[in-house]
Every structure is written in structure tokens, then in C-alpha cells.
Amino acid sequence: MNAKSLLSVWFPIFLSHLVYTFQGLFLIYIVSPFGKDAIAGVGFSTIILWLIYAVGEIAYAGVSILTARAVGRKIHAGNIVLNGIILSVAISLLVALAFKFFVPFLSHVVSQKTLFVIEDFLKPVMFFLPLMLTANTFNASFSACGKTNFVFLMTVFANVVMLVLALVFVKQFDFGVEGAGLSLALSESCSAIVYLLFALKEKALNPFKSPKFSLLLLRSILKLGMPVGLEEIIISASYNVFTGLVASCGTESLAGFQIGLKIEAVSVSAGIGLLLATTILTSQISASGKRTSDFLITAVKTGSLTMTFFGIVMVVLSGYLPRFFSSNGNVIESAKCYLILAGISQLPMAVSFVVRSEEHTSELQSQDDLVCR
């Protein structure tokens, strides 16, 4: 496989994550009239949501890798999807329960007003989390089948629904921050239902074609997904700790950090797309018995050029981009400092994404006999 093959899978995944990046920017923008506490609280909420999805990454990664292997062998993957959904729902219930114990801890790192914003935003998210993580599992399975264009269209659909609902709930019904959280939760829930309808028409992915609950398959998903999930949990947890440290510097610093983080997410979307595309394609190459070294070199070159470009843009425009979200001088200065530092780090980040994808794929070597039993 060459750069063209990589781009054909990577670009739609990148666009899908880019749409989610604009989702985060839009949520910050739509609550910005409520002040710096709303910006800080919603921004912090999205970091917590990242941690939640990092836990869900256990199911996502396992389903993605096993489905890619099944596709490489031309094996029906419906039971992989079904058991992945079961695992995702179980994870969502555990996360929602854990969140109740996590909230009081936040009172030690953010102001009372910011804490109220976080609770209001995440309340509807926790209620609809089983459907949200189910949509994530379908996303993994369709991406692993190479249907990344469809995944992109589904991402656009979910975000259009979110945008419309946010305008209605926040602007028309005056639901405030909770309306923003509700629009996000409902849009992802809608995408889960649409994903299911399309999966039922896919012979390779239909979870109810000869459905079978399999503890062996669940263990396989967990075994493959756990290293990836733990890695994501550690990374996102470190961001949550770092965000807490920033919050201790004041609400203006936290708001500026969140603005900078959401802008940097454009480049990170490219990196995540690179990670997922490389994992999927190396899984397929490995399943066919071919070497992956040449393809990985291509992935490093392509990813490095792309993320370096975004890094340069962040540094050059660091003093201008934050002004779209705030007129507070201290908030803008905090965002500017973050963007400069983030821009410098994009090249090594690109290399790390490819290295991580190879590490994830190497976990497959001992799993050959577990696929679709």
C-alpha cells in the first residue's frame, strides 16, 4: 500500500474528527455570551468527555482491529459488532456511576460557578451515554471495513443535528449550558440509531445476523482494546490533571487554555486520523501476510508534513485566532501562549501517532485464532 491508499482511508477519518473539532469550537462559541465561567466550564467538560471516550476506546479499538482482521479474511464480523456494543453499554453504565463520585473532587480545582456549568453540561450526556458509546462502536466497525466516507457523512449528520438543536435549546428555549449538553447527547444518540439501520443492511456487519454472545470474543476485544484504551485513559487523565492545574491559576487562564486546546484540535484530528488509518491498514496488510515496514515509513512522512503545516499555522496566527472567542485580554494572551507551545510540538506528535499505531497492530499477532469464533 502507498500514500494514495493511506490518504483514501485517512482523509475521511481526518474530516470526521475535524467536524468534531468544529463541534467543540461551536459549543465554546455558543456559550461564550454567558461569560468566562461558561467557556471554562464547557471546555473542561469536553476534556472530561474525552476521558470518558478514552475508556470507551477499549471497545472501539478492539472492535476496529478485529473487524479489520475479519475483513482481511473475508469473515462475517457481525458478532464482533454485537459484542462490542454490549461492552460499550457496560462501560457507559460504569462511567456514569463513577461520575457521581468524581464531581465532588472537581470542587477542589475549579470555582463554584465553573463546577455548576460542568454539572449542567454533562448531566444529559451521562443519561444518553450508552447510545453515544454505541455510536462509537458502529463508527469503529464501519471504519475498519474501509467505509470511511460513510463514517464522515454520519459525522456530518450528527453535527448538523447538534448545531440545529443547540441553536434551538440555547438561543430559542434559553436552556443555557444544559441545552448545549443536551444537543450534543441527542445528536450522538440519533447517529447510533441511523448507524444501526445501515448496519442491518450490511452483510458483513449486521449484528443480528446469527447473533451470538461470546465471552471468548469479549475477552478478545478487551485484550486488544485494553492497551489502547489504557494509553488513551492515561493521556486524557493527564490532560484532566493538567487542566486542573491550569484552573488553579484562575478562570481566565482556564478559558484561554480551553480556547487554545480547541484550536489545536484541528491538527490533532489529523493525527488521530493517521493513527486510526494506519492501524486499520497495517491490520489488513498483516492479515494478508505482507510486511508493513514500507507502509509505516510512508505514514510517518505523510503525517509529519501535514501536522508540521498545522503547527506553523498555529504559531503564526496565535495572536489572532483566540479573538474569535473572547475579547478578554488575559484570556487571549493565555490562548496565544498555549498555541505557540502546541505548534512547536506537532512534528514529534505525528511520529508518535504512527509508532502507537504499530504498537497497537503488533498486539494482533497472538490473536489470530480468536477472530469470529
Side-chain angles (χ1 to χ4, degrees), residues 59-125:
Y60 183 98
V63 169
S64 178
I65 295 171
L66 285 176
T67 303
R69 297 287 285 182
V71 169
R73 296 176 173 185
K74 303 187 186 309
I75 299 173
H76 176 65
N79 279 326
I80 296 173
V81 179
L82 176 62
N83 284 271
I85 291 172
I86 293 171
L87 180 58
S88 293
V89 172
I91 288 173
S92 68
L93 295 176
L94 290 173
V95 167
L97 181 63
F99 180 71
K100 292 185 178 180
F101 298 96
F102 180 67
V103 171
F105 170 76
L106 291 176
S107 62
H108 299 292
V109 294
V110 299
S111 68
Q112 198 65 36
K113 290 182 179 179
T114 303
L115 180 59
F116 287 151
V117 170
I118 293 172
E119 289 183 298
D120 286 345
F121 183 85
L122 289 178
K123 190 187 304 178
V125 170

Side-chain angles (χ1 to χ4, degrees), residues 5 19 34 37 45 50 54 71 115 129-130 134-135 145 154 183 203 206 218 232 254 275 311 314 352 354:
S5 300
V19 172
F34 301 128
D37 289 295
S45 296
W50 177 22
V71 169
L115 180 59
L129 193 56
T134 295
C145 280
M154 284 299 301
S183 66
K203 292 182 179 180
N206 188 344
L218 276 175
E232 288 298 318
L254 179 58
L275 170 64
M314 276 189 279
S352 73
V354 177

Side-chain angles (χ1 to χ4, degrees), residues 10 16 22 37 49 58 63 65 68-69 81 94 97 111 113 134 148 158 174 181 255 261-262 270 284 307 311 318 329:
W10 176 23
S16 297
F22 286 120
D37 289 295
L49 193 56
I58 295 171
V63 169
I65 295 171
R69 297 287 285 182
V81 179
L94 290 173
L97 181 63
S111 68
K113 290 182 179 179
T134 295
T148 49
D174 198 24
L261 193 66
K262 296 300 179 291
Q284 293 180 359
M307 293 188 70
S318 60

Side-chain angles (χ1 to χ4, degrees), residues 224-296:
L224 287 171
M226 192 66 74
V228 182
L230 287 176
E231 182 182 4
E232 288 298 318
I233 290 169
I234 291 170
I235 293 172
S236 59
S238 68
Y239 261 93
N240 275 271
V241 172
F242 182 67
T243 302
L245 293 174
V246 174
S248 67
C249 298
T251 304
E252 291 177 338
S253 296
L254 179 58
F257 168 66
Q258 293 300 333
I259 291 172
L261 193 66
K262 296 300 179 291
I263 295 172
E264 184 203 7
V266 175
S267 181
V268 175
S269 295
I272 293 174
L274 178 67
L275 170 64
L276 295 176
T278 305
T279 301
I280 290 168
L281 292 176
T282 50
S283 296
Q284 293 180 359
I285 294 170
S286 176
S288 65
K290 298 178 182 179
R291 292 172 57 87
T292 61
S293 55
D294 291 340
F295 173 71
L296 289 172

